[in-house]
């Protein structure tokens, strides 16, 4: 028995649990040495005492009833699946305890042996693990939330390139809104991915981080998409590559706007060059046209010589028309705006348009009612319509259909933000659509360039659509071209709505007025000696008393000698540091109300702003003929003070 007891105590000493034997009455009959480590009592302090001394006071009454119930039907309950209780130490400290219990019979009496284990450390570890798991879940949720609602297009994929998590922007940028990508292969979602990008993915899975500020990608539908992207590996908790992360930005719209801006800057540069050339040509044409006209008047009925001079005049007038178109493109023509309804212009031109476009082309007018009025140069509007119709006719040599539509439209701030040189607001839209051959994409951005034409040599100047472009832009409008090869072209013109719907313009045709003479004094100020000589000669032929000067300072000197003239006829742009406008202001200080007539090949915005002459300003555009010079001079001199 001693050997058996020693063996029994050895087993109990090796056990991590405190073993206690309790009678049916709840009295401790035996306690192993481990009770000291767990409860702080020596075994002999417990034997003979109630088991409730090891139970917190608040649980004792409940424990007594549970003990009685147990002994009525004693069963074994194993630790782990057994009872979880709270134990009370000798120092009154409590701890969580796990208990296994088995019934036994000793000396014919029922008792129970309980193995008690302090699980404080385990419960603390479990709590830490629970907190860690919850923190990990929270972290993952925050990461998913951040990625989902990130303004950037982000996607995380595993090492087989299957989607794990992605942002809403990723779905939006790639036309995948509403699709659940989780678990899908990247190549299943984008079967059009080229081998070049597949190689990039393989390199990223090998540990490289790759990026590009600009790269193009042709989508399955043929649409070209521009991207700024970065592909990098991501690592798991063990430092192994778990997959790749894609970070992309769709810069297609930015590239489009950059292209628009570059095109606008190119057109502006061409416009400046074109305007300068037109200015110089207008001076030359003024001399040629004016002197040829004088020569024609001098030779009177000499048919032999008239046949030599008349082609000179015709060629000069054609040159003048071309330079006027160049100025229109450069936005440097002096417009004569009035308020009118576009429907009336189209209706009035209908017969002319039908004759121009030919019998094999159907003309369909779809004019919206009511239509807002616009403020623009009515003659230039008619010329713009005619130029577009002529291009439509040439695009439909075998016949077709021309549709002219009008409508009231609002161009939003969002539309303006995506289109260079467009101000948001209310516009009247006129669309001219044909069913012709269409324009190739590579040509579409060049059709407004001066001297660019797709027609055969000798069939076009390349200035028709340039004039339309310049006129619309100078008027503060907007122009768009939509075209598809083999299906036709639509040109949409947007003219700003007039501040008032009260029309002020009538038909653009005017009967010529007879030339007028006079005896008033006129000071001619012109830096080009040939133009100045022509103007002086013509005015003297009309009976005027004429003095002349080559620039502003010389003109002021002439005024100091001869007095203020009845009319100052001055070029706008001159050397000598003084413009025609500044000269007129200087003379006007000493003679308020003095009459001024400006002339110019282009005005450099000195007296014309946004395509409109300043109030009270009179302008004679170069090149001019003697009859037009006579009428304009008489018109200004006859103005009431």
């Amino acid at each position: 028995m001693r050997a058996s007891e020693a063996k029994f105590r050895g087993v109990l000493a090796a056990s991590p649990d405190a073993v206690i034997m309790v009678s049916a009455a709840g009295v401790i009959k035996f306690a192993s040495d481990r009770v000291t480590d767990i409860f702080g009592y020596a075994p002999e302090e417990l034997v003979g005492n109630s088991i409730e001394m090891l139970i917190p006071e608040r649980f004792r009454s409940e424990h007594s009833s549970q003990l009685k119930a147990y002994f009525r039907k004693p069963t074994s309950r194993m630790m782990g699946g057994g009872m979880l209780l709270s134990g009370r130490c000798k120092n009154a400290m409590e701890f969580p305890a796990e208990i296994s219990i088995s019934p036994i019979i000793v000396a014919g009496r029922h008792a129970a042996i309980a193995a008690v284990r302090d699980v404080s450390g385990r419960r603390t570890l479990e709590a830490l693990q629970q907190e860690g798991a919850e923190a990990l879940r929270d972290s993952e949720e925050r990461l998913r939330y951040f990625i989902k609602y990130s303004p950037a297009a982000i996607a995380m994929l595993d090492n087989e390139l299957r989607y794990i998590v992605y942002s809403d922007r990723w779905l939006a940028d790639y036309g995948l809104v509403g699709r659940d990508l989780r678990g899908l292969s990247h190549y299943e979602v984008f079967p059009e991915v080229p081998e070049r990008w597949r190689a990039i993915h393989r390199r990223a899975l090998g540990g490289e981080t790759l990026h590009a500020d600009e790269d193009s990608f042709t989508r399955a539908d043929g649409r070209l998409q521009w991207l700024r992207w970065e592909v990098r590996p991501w690592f798991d908790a063990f430092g192994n590559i778990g997959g790749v992360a894609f970070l992309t930005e769709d810069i297609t719209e930015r590239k489009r706007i950059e292209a628009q801006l570059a095109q606008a800057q190119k057109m502006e540069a061409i416009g400046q060059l074109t305007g300068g050339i037109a200015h110089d040509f207008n001076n030359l044409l003024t001399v040629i046209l004016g002197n040829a006209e004088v020569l024609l008047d001098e030779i009177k009925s000499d048919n032999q010589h008239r046949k030599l001079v008349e082609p000179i005049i015709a060629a000069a007038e054609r040159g003048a028309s071309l330079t006027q178109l160049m100025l229109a493109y450069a936005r440097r023509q002096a417009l004569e705006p009035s308020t009118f309804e576009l429907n009336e212009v189209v209706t009035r031109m209908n017969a002319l348009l039908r004759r121009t476009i030919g019998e094999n082309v159907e003309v369909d007018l779809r004019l919206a009612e009511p239509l807002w009025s616009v403020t623009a140069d009515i003659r230039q509007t008619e010329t713009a319509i005619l130029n577009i119709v002529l291009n439509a006719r040439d695009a439909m040599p075998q016949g077709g259909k021309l549709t002219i539509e009008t409508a009231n439209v609002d161009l939003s701030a969002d539309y303006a933000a995506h289109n260079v040189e467009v101000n948001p607001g209310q516009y009247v839209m006129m669309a001219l659509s044909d069913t012709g051959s269409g324009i190739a994409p590579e040509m579409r951005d060049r059709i407004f360039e001066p001297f660019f034409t797709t027609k055969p040599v000798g069939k076009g100047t390349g200035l028709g659509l340039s004039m339309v472009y310049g006129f619309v832009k100078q008027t503060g409008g907007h122009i768009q071209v939509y075209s598809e090869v083999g299906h036709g072209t639509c040109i949409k013109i947007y003219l700003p709505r007039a501040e008032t719907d009260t029309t002020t313009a009538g038909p653009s045709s005017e009967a010529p007025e007879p030339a007028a003479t006079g005896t008033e004094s006129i000071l001619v100020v012109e830096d080009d000696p040939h133009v100045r000589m022509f103007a002086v000669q013509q005015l003297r032929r009309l009976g005027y008393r004429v003095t002349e000067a080559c620039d502003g300072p010389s003109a002021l000197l002439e005024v100091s000698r001869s007095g203020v003239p009845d009319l100052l006829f001055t070029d706008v742009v001159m050397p000598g540091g003084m413009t025609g406008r500044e000269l007129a202001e200087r003379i006007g200080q000493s003679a308020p109300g003095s009459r001024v007539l400006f002339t110019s090949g282009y005005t450099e915005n000195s007296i014309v702003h946004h395509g409109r002459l300043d109030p009270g300003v009179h302008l004679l555009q170069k090149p001019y003929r003697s009859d037009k010079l006579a009428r304009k001079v008489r018109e200004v001199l006859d103005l009431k003070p």
Side-chain angles (χ1 to χ4, degrees):
M1 287 185 65
R2 282 195 300 271
S4 177
E5 182 178 352
K7 185 185 297 183
F8 175 68
R9 289 187 177 278
V11 171
L12 293 181
S15 172
D17 306 324
V19 179
I20 301 173
M21 186 170 67
V22 183
S23 70
V27 177
I28 299 172
K29 295 297 184 179
F30 172 81
S32 69
D33 293 340
R34 286 285 293 160
V35 297
T36 304
D37 298 329
I38 295 176
F39 290 98
Y41 291 101
E44 57 270 20
E45 290 181 89
L46 296 178
V47 174
N49 291 303
S50 173
I51 189 64
E52 291 184 353
M53 68 184 296
L54 302 179
I55 298 172
E57 293 181 6
R58 63 185 183 280
F59 296 132
R60 287 175 183 175
S61 60
E62 183 181 356
H63 178 267
S64 177
S65 61
Q66 289 177 347
L67 185 65
K68 291 176 182 178
Y70 175 79
F71 276 108
R72 283 196 295 269
K73 191 176 181 180
T75 58
S76 296
R77 296 176 182 174
M78 302 305 295
M79 194 174 293
M83 302 171 64
L84 289 174
L85 298 174
S86 292
R88 184 179 187 277
C89 296
K90 185 177 181 179
N91 60 5
M93 295 292 293
E94 297 181 13
F95 63 91
E98 191 172 64
I99 299 175
S100 295
I101 186 169
S102 297
I104 61 171
I105 297 176
V106 179
R109 295 178 181 274
H110 286 284
I113 292 180
V116 181
R117 181 177 296 173
D118 183 351
V119 294
S120 299
R122 193 183 76 192
R123 294 289 294 275
T124 300
L125 179 60
E126 288 175 350
L128 290 174
Q129 289 175 336
Q130 179 68 21
E131 290 177 3
E134 291 177 358
L136 180 60
R137 283 195 298 271
D138 289 344
S139 177
E140 288 178 348
E141 284 302 314
R142 284 194 295 269
L143 178 62
R144 290 180 183 274
Y145 185 89
F146 170 78
I147 291 177
K148 177 177 175 59
Y149 297 107
S150 171
I154 302 174
M156 289 186 68
L157 296 85
D158 63 19
N159 52 20
E160 294 184 5
L161 291 185
R162 292 188 299 255
Y163 281 90
I164 300 172
V165 63
Y166 43 84
S167 66
D168 289 348
R169 186 58 182 266
W170 179 273
L171 298 177
D173 280 0
Y174 299 107
L176 302 168
V177 174
R179 289 192 61 181
D180 185 359
L181 307 183
R182 288 171 299 178
L184 295 180
S185 165
H186 184 61
Y187 303 137
E188 182 180 352
V189 177
F190 297 102
E192 68 270 26
V193 171
E195 177 57 32
R196 176 175 67 89
W197 278 30
R198 293 173 187 252
I200 290 172
H201 301 158
R202 289 193 293 269
R203 289 170 63 184
L205 287 171
E208 290 187 62
T209 295
L210 305 102
H211 64 89
D213 290 331
E214 289 184 358
D215 201 354
S216 60
F217 174 48
T218 302
R219 299 294 307 277
D221 58 5
R223 181 169 57 91
L224 185 67
Q225 191 170 21
W226 283 91
L227 300 173
R228 184 170 69 87
W229 57 263
E230 181 175 296
V231 180
R232 60 169 58 242
W234 61 267
F235 299 87
D236 61 21
F238 302 101
N240 300 317
I241 294 176
V244 294
F246 295 158
L247 296 90
T248 70
E249 180 185 358
D250 187 344
I251 59 172
T252 306
E253 185 64 16
R254 191 192 79 190
K255 291 287 290 182
R256 188 182 69 81
I257 292 176
E258 286 177 352
Q260 277 190 355
L261 181 59
Q263 180 70 6
Q265 290 172 338
K266 182 179 77 171
M267 299 284 268
E268 179 66 22
I270 295 174
Q272 291 178 356
L273 176 62
T274 303
I277 293 172
H279 171 262
D280 292 341
F281 265 72
N282 276 336
N283 279 339
L284 297 174
L285 290 169
T286 299
V287 176
I288 296 170
L289 186 60
N291 284 289
E293 188 181 33
V294 172
L295 183 59
L296 189 65
D297 187 54
E298 291 290 338
I299 60 179
K300 300 188 184 304
S301 60
D302 188 340
N303 290 333
Q304 188 70 19
H305 290 91
R306 290 182 70 88
K307 290 180 180 179
L308 296 175
V309 177
E310 285 172 348
I312 296 175
I313 294 176
E317 287 178 338
R318 176 167 170 74
S321 298
L322 290 176
T323 55
Q324 194 61 32
L325 290 176
M326 291 166 66
L327 285 172
Y329 169 75
R331 311 182 208 180
R332 286 178 173 149
Q333 60 181 336
L335 302 178
E336 298 179 9
S338 56
T339 301
F340 58 91
E341 189 179 299
L342 204 52
N343 283 353
E344 294 179 0
V345 173
V346 175
T347 303
R348 187 171 63 247
M349 295 182 67
N350 187 28
L352 171 63
L353 297 179
R354 291 180 187 276
R355 289 195 304 272
T356 301
I357 204 164
E359 295 180 355
N360 62 343
V361 176
E362 177 189 353
V363 179
D364 182 16
L365 301 185
R366 300 182 183 181
L367 309 181
E369 293 284 356
L371 194 69
W372 297 328
S373 296
V374 298
T375 299
D377 188 313
I378 193 168
R379 293 185 184 85
Q380 296 294 337
T381 303
E382 292 172 342
T383 303
I385 294 172
L386 187 58
N387 273 315
I388 295 174
V389 169
L390 288 172
N391 278 278
R393 179 197 65 187
D394 295 341
M396 299 183 288
Q398 307 304 320
K401 183 177 181 179
L402 172 69
T403 303
I404 303 178
E405 302 174 70
T406 58
N408 299 323
V409 298
D410 280 292
L411 296 184
S412 65
D414 182 65
Y415 180 89
H418 292 81
N419 290 272
V420 176
E421 294 187 321
V422 176
N423 294 317
Q426 295 181 324
Y427 292 79
V428 175
M429 184 276 295
M430 176 173 59
L432 298 98
S433 307
D434 65 61
T435 58
S437 55
I439 305 169
E442 62 272 15
M443 301 291 188
R444 203 172 302 149
D445 290 338
R446 300 194 60 196
I447 63 171
F448 294 128
E449 293 180 13
F451 306 113
F452 175 80
T453 179
T454 57
K455 298 175 184 177
V457 176
K459 296 295 184 180
T461 63
L463 286 170
L465 289 180
S466 300
M467 170 267 161
V468 176
Y469 177 87
F471 157 67
V472 171
K473 292 295 185 179
Q474 192 174 2
T475 306
H478 175 50
I479 186 167
Q480 279 278 32
V481 178
Y482 305 89
S483 186
E484 187 174 345
V485 174
H487 294 277
T489 299
C490 175
I491 296 180
K492 289 186 176 181
I493 293 175
Y494 300 82
L495 297 178
R497 180 184 182 180
E499 295 180 359
T500 174
D501 286 336
T502 302
T503 59
T504 61
S508 61
S509 59
E510 293 181 356
E513 298 178 2
T517 61
T519 58
E520 291 91 342
S521 61
I522 299 176
L523 172 57
V524 176
V525 187
E526 169 65 60
D527 61 290
D528 188 298
H530 300 293
V531 176
R532 185 172 69 250
M533 180 178 67
F534 165 72
V536 169
Q537 287 176 345
Q538 296 309 304
L539 291 172
R540 284 176 178 166
R541 287 178 67 242
L542 294 169
Y544 295 105
R545 293 176 286 113
V546 183
T547 55
E548 58 184 286
C550 63
D551 55 31
S554 301
L556 291 176
L557 186 60
E558 182 62 35
V559 169
S560 67
R561 286 200 303 260
S562 307
V564 177
D566 296 316
L567 175 69
L568 171 65
F569 180 45
T570 178
D571 195 4
V572 176
V573 181
M574 297 183 295
M578 184 181 297
T579 66
R581 183 63 178 266
E582 292 168 340
L583 172 62
E585 290 173 352
R586 290 282 297 273
I587 294 177
Q589 291 173 359
S590 57
S594 57
R595 292 173 174 80
V596 181
L597 174 60
F598 293 101
T599 182
S600 181
Y602 69 95
T603 60
E604 287 284 2
N605 291 327
S606 179
I607 60 174
V608 175
H609 296 89
H610 307 295
R612 304 184 185 189
L613 285 172
D614 292 342
V617 171
H618 305 279
L619 176 68
L620 178 61
Q621 284 270 27
K622 296 178 181 177
Y624 50 81
R625 298 177 61 162
S626 57
D627 57 345
K628 192 171 184 180
L629 171 65
R631 285 198 305 271
K632 197 67 178 179
V633 166
R634 193 68 260 164
E635 174 189 323
V636 177
L637 284 170
D638 290 341
L639 290 173
K640 294 181 180 180

